[in-house]
Amino acid sequence: DTYLEDTDFAVRTEVNARRVHDALMLLLCFREHPITRPTCMRLLQVPGVHEACSLCTVPGCLGNSWSGNTAVIRHYKTAGTYGSHTITVQPGSKTELVLQHYTDWARQLLLKDTSSNALFLTRYGKPFIRDGCFNKYLPRLLQTVSGAKLSWTKVRVCSSCNTNG
């Protein structure tokens, strides 16, 4: 919450756009309905994009995309066993506010690869093409949030960490 409180949505700079991007990543990956392996979030497309999946051969697969205000995560390591994972962004929530600002203006300021429909972008404005890149970015971002630890398979509250932030 502190990270988000320090974000001024009226300031339309690339630096602030990155802050909005990172706030959205934290909210979707860890607050709304955390997925066990957050790396799969690198494949999430922007809301409103409905294109064929480039990862699999299943006819008509839309990949990790949105259905209204719900992110449908079809591709992740244990999807074959557990099926799709969904993350619903509640109306009036902080996540909805940040998602709206990100898709309205912030993403366009960050995007360097205009052919990409990836929701999350590297610090170079391109989609995360490998899990390894995302696996480096997300833990660094999470370090700004006290009270949590990221392991290879899940996020957990750290009882010995400072939880004032």
Side-chain angles (χ1 to χ4, degrees):
D1 287 331
T2 303
Y3 190 89
L4 188 56
E5 288 170 9
D6 293 339
T7 304
D8 183 353
F9 295 112
V11 177
R12 306 283 169 100
T13 64
E14 196 169 321
V15 170
N16 205 42
R18 177 56 58 183
R19 191 168 186 77
V20 172
H21 169 278
D22 292 351
L24 179 62
M25 186 181 285
L26 289 169
L27 289 166
L28 281 177
C29 291
F30 304 119
R31 178 174 271 178
E32 293 303 332
H33 188 187
I35 191 161
T36 302
R37 290 178 173 85
T39 301
C40 66
M41 295 296 284
R42 80 170 178 83
L43 302 171
L44 186 58
Q45 299 174 36
V46 293
V49 170
H50 300 287
E51 63 182 31
C53 178
S54 62
L55 292 176
C56 70
T57 57
V58 176
C61 179
L62 296 175
N64 293 353
S65 59
W66 293 82
S67 176
N69 65 335
T70 300
V72 182
I73 311 301
R74 294 172 182 90
H75 294 289
Y76 64 101
K77 189 173 182 177
T78 55
T81 303
Y82 297 105
S84 296
H85 178 88
T86 60
I87 304 169
T88 300
V89 176
Q90 297 299 319
S93 67
K94 289 180 182 181
T95 305
E96 181 188 51
L97 174 71
V98 175
L99 179 61
Q100 187 67 47
H101 281 283
Y102 183 66
T103 57
D104 283 351
W105 62 270
R107 184 175 180 275
Q108 287 75 18
L109 287 176
L110 299 174
L111 187 64
K112 304 296 184 237
D113 178 359
T114 56
S115 66
S116 174
N117 288 317
L119 182 66
F120 296 122
L121 305 168
T122 68
R123 56 191 173 129
Y124 304 109
K126 297 183 178 186
F128 290 93
I129 57 171
R130 292 185 318 269
D131 287 350
C133 296
F134 195 83
N135 283 340
K136 290 178 183 174
Y137 188 92
L138 194 57
R140 284 186 201 133
L141 179 57
L142 193 60
Q143 287 176 354
T144 65
V145 180
S146 61
K149 272 191 173 180
L150 182 67
S151 75
W152 285 107
T153 58
K154 65 182 176 179
V155 176
R156 62 183 180 273
V157 173
C158 176
S159 59
S160 63
C161 297
N162 177 4
T163 57
N164 294 329

